[in-house]
Amino acid sequence: MLTALFFIPLIGALSLLFVNKNESLMKQITLGSMILNFFVSMVIWAKFDNNTHEYQFVQEWTEISFCHFNVGIDGISLFFILLTTFLFPIIILTSWNHKNSLKHYLLNFLILESLLIATFIVLDLLLFYIFFESILIPLFIIILSYGDLLTKEKAGFLLFLYTLAGSLFMLLSIITIYILTGTTDFQILSTIDFGTDIQKLLFVGFLIAFIVKTPLIPGHVWLGFAHVAAPIGGSVLLAGVILKLATYLALRVMIPYFPEATLYFTPLIYTLAVISIIYASLTCLRLIDVKAIIAYSSVSHMGVVVLGLFSNNLQGLEGAVILGLAHGVISPLLFIIVGDILYVRSHTRIIKYYRGIATSMPILSLIFFFATLANIGTPFSGNFIGEFMSYAGAFQLNPIITILGATGMFLSAAYSIWLFNRVAFGQASRYMSTMPDITRREFFVVLPLIIVSFILGIYPNIVLESLHLGLSSLLISVNTPPLKSY
Amino acid sequence: MAGYLQQDPAVEKWIRMRESTAKHFRWNARNVRTVGILGLIIPAGILYLATEYNGTSKWAAQGPSPKVAAVAEEDA
């Protein structure tokens, strides 16, 4: 069933190749295959057993000699897969009126969906790296072919080169792991204990990729450009799923395989996380492009995720995953509001031109208000649960750093409320004539995102039940003596 | 739909100036001071705090205080 998740988008892509001029049919095939993929992932979730931390739905292909294309999921990867399959139909619906080379645009997203799902389901480290890197190619094509005319080249190259450079060190670590152990299989690697010095060296390779992908300051430069230049589908995908790849890398590889190095480097990672939270939030207050504000707010929120990830307690880990999922829903919602709904009408992202849209676009303003509250981490949103648990977990490890990081709570309120106030309230803008309110299509595109955020906020157990066992095995006991190791 | 916005040349000039701020960066005394504080001193300070206070908090109960233990023993 897991391989169905991988192949359905590819079959959709193959079918698209035979459709030439009928744009309506192209969109229907793409949307149909993505919705089918979403239903398959829901069936997998329904059949998922919460009472084991072992990999489930495991499928192995022993016929393939040159790699271990084994797939399986546990509580951690399940929700990243659900997030991926949930967001892709929304991406296609936001791009419903896309005209420029529609076939290639849809093909890119179908292939991206396959590659992303493969990243989350493979049980081999080298294959994980291959799929982790392979998503860069369609992303690069999407930004360069369909992005903002003035900034797309710089954004595309920054995204590609930054991520590639960061991942190069990860590849070196993976090759070293293979030389030392003779395998890159997740299940076998989980039984191997690396020596502390080797762990630290290997961890640094993964850490560089982690810093670039999360992103944490100073590896964040690509994000602002990529988000602003990308078309709406690209922005939604970047904010919703791509940033969570780093979270998945930490949960799948860094923490379980290098526990002592994780404990050793936690102060450095916490430093980078706190700097990211505060500096990114302060940057948001100075930016003039609404898409850039939301992009940098993602840097800030991912800093909170990192605080929870490396807190070495269950509360922090679960908070990090919940915040990752909630952010993966709310950030796309904000991008759709400013980058699609408002931008399609006004063709500007500059905040100075906007004012008083609440009078002419009341429903959109209400949805924008909900998204702003969720972005701040107000109760009843998934962001509140995630932030609360992440900060609570981090506080147990390092109260002083967590207090510094918690300044992100009121800084995020500052820039979010400032953004919403400037756009929605005040006298009607003298630069903008009255714009029509949100259409029915746009409303039904954003509605699922609102519902999911609300569900995460009032019933987080829907996610936590499946996470408990999977994340419990990641907790590092500081008192356990090291075994005989490499 | 493209007709909803009336661009203002003054605003466009302001946008160009704001977005090209980084191109006019120079290593003058003020900027060196700012980069030094924000890029070196503050991160070093945070790193020091992170290293110093990492895992030092004891949240588990330490047991009853000596006075409480003495009273409990008398009662027993």
Side-chain angles (χ1 to χ4, degrees), chain A residues 315-336:
Chain A
Q315 206 167 13
L317 284 167
E318 289 182 345
V321 175
I322 294 242
L323 182 56
L325 296 175
H327 175 265
V329 162
I330 287 301
S331 205
L333 173 59
L334 284 165
F335 273 115
I336 290 169

Side-chain angles (χ1 to χ4, degrees), chain A residues 234-278:
Chain A
S235 295
V236 167
L237 188 64
L238 275 166
V241 188
I242 305 294
L243 299 192
K244 314 303 173 290
L245 285 173
T247 309
Y248 183 71
L249 172 68
L251 289 168
R252 182 62 78 218
V253 180
M254 293 166 74
I255 299 171
Y257 299 156
F258 313 120
E260 279 133 18
T262 302
L263 292 176
Y264 180 80
F265 282 106
T266 296
L268 174 65
I269 294 169
Y270 265 35
T271 305
L272 293 176
V274 166
I275 289 171
S276 299
I277 293 169
I278 298 174

Side-chain angles (χ1 to χ4, degrees), chain A residues 263 266-268 270-271 274-275 278-279 285-289 344-348 350-353 395-401 404 430-436, chain B residues 1-9 11-12 14-16 18-19 23 37-40 42-59:
Chain A
L263 292 176
T266 296
L268 174 65
Y270 265 35
T271 305
V274 166
I275 289 171
I278 298 174
Y279 285 20
L285 286 167
R286 285 288 293 166
L287 288 168
I288 60 170
D289 184 324
V344 153
R345 288 156 174 74
S346 63
H347 291 278
T348 184
I350 303 302
I351 202 167
K352 203 165 183 63
Y353 282 126
F395 192 84
Q396 292 175 47
L397 181 69
N398 198 326
I400 307 289
I401 290 297
L404 286 175
R430 57 188 150 124
Y431 307 108
M432 209 101 65
S433 48
T434 307
M435 294 189 288
Chain B
M1 278 201 182
Y4 292 117
L5 173 69
Q6 271 183 305
Q7 286 186 345
D8 184 338
V11 173
E12 292 297 309
W14 175 78
I15 293 164
R16 280 195 300 276
R18 282 295 295 271
E19 296 204 330
K23 289 182 194 163
I37 292 170
L38 291 177
L40 292 172
I42 291 179
I46 296 174
L47 181 61
Y48 169 76
L49 289 172
T51 317
E52 194 65 26
Y53 293 100
N54 188 49
T56 55
S57 308
K58 290 182 173 52
W59 300 105

Side-chain angles (χ1 to χ4, degrees), chain A residues 42-114:
Chain A
M42 294 295 279
V43 169
I44 289 172
W45 187 22
K47 289 185 165 190
F48 189 81
D49 183 6
N50 295 331
N51 299 318
T52 173
H53 68 277
E54 302 287 333
Y55 289 109
Q56 299 177 41
F57 306 96
V58 176
Q59 288 171 280
E60 297 179 6
W61 278 271
T62 48
E63 294 87 8
I64 303 172
S65 60
F66 56 87
C67 70
H68 294 112
F69 192 67
N70 303 343
V71 297
I73 56 165
D74 65 356
I76 299 167
S77 41
L78 172 67
F79 291 104
F80 291 115
I81 291 167
L82 279 168
L83 181 66
T84 308
T85 55
F86 172 71
L87 279 179
F88 267 93
I90 290 174
I91 289 169
I92 297 306
L93 287 170
T94 58
S95 315
W96 202 250
N97 295 324
H98 184 94
K99 297 279 178 221
N100 180 17
S101 304
L102 180 68
K103 185 170 167 178
H104 298 122
Y105 185 78
L106 297 174
L107 268 172
N108 272 307
F109 278 105
L110 282 165
I111 293 167
L112 252 177
E113 185 175 10
S114 271

Side-chain angles (χ1 to χ4, degrees), chain A residues 332-344:
Chain A
L333 173 59
L334 284 165
F335 273 115
I336 290 169
I337 290 168
V338 303
D340 183 36
I341 298 172
L342 285 176
Y343 185 75
V344 153

Side-chain angles (χ1 to χ4, degrees), chain A residues 375-433:
Chain A
N375 203 32
I376 295 168
T378 318
F380 288 119
S381 67
N383 295 61
F384 168 71
I385 304 289
E387 277 191 21
F388 182 87
M389 289 174 75
S390 298
Y391 282 127
F395 192 84
Q396 292 175 47
L397 181 69
N398 198 326
I400 307 289
I401 290 297
T402 308
I403 289 168
L404 286 175
T407 55
M409 279 197 282
F410 67 76
L411 285 172
S412 78
Y415 64 71
S416 298
I417 291 172
W418 174 75
L419 172 65
F420 178 71
N421 246 353
R422 280 298 310 273
V423 171
F425 294 130
Q427 222 174 7
S429 172
R430 57 188 150 124
Y431 307 108
M432 209 101 65
S433 48

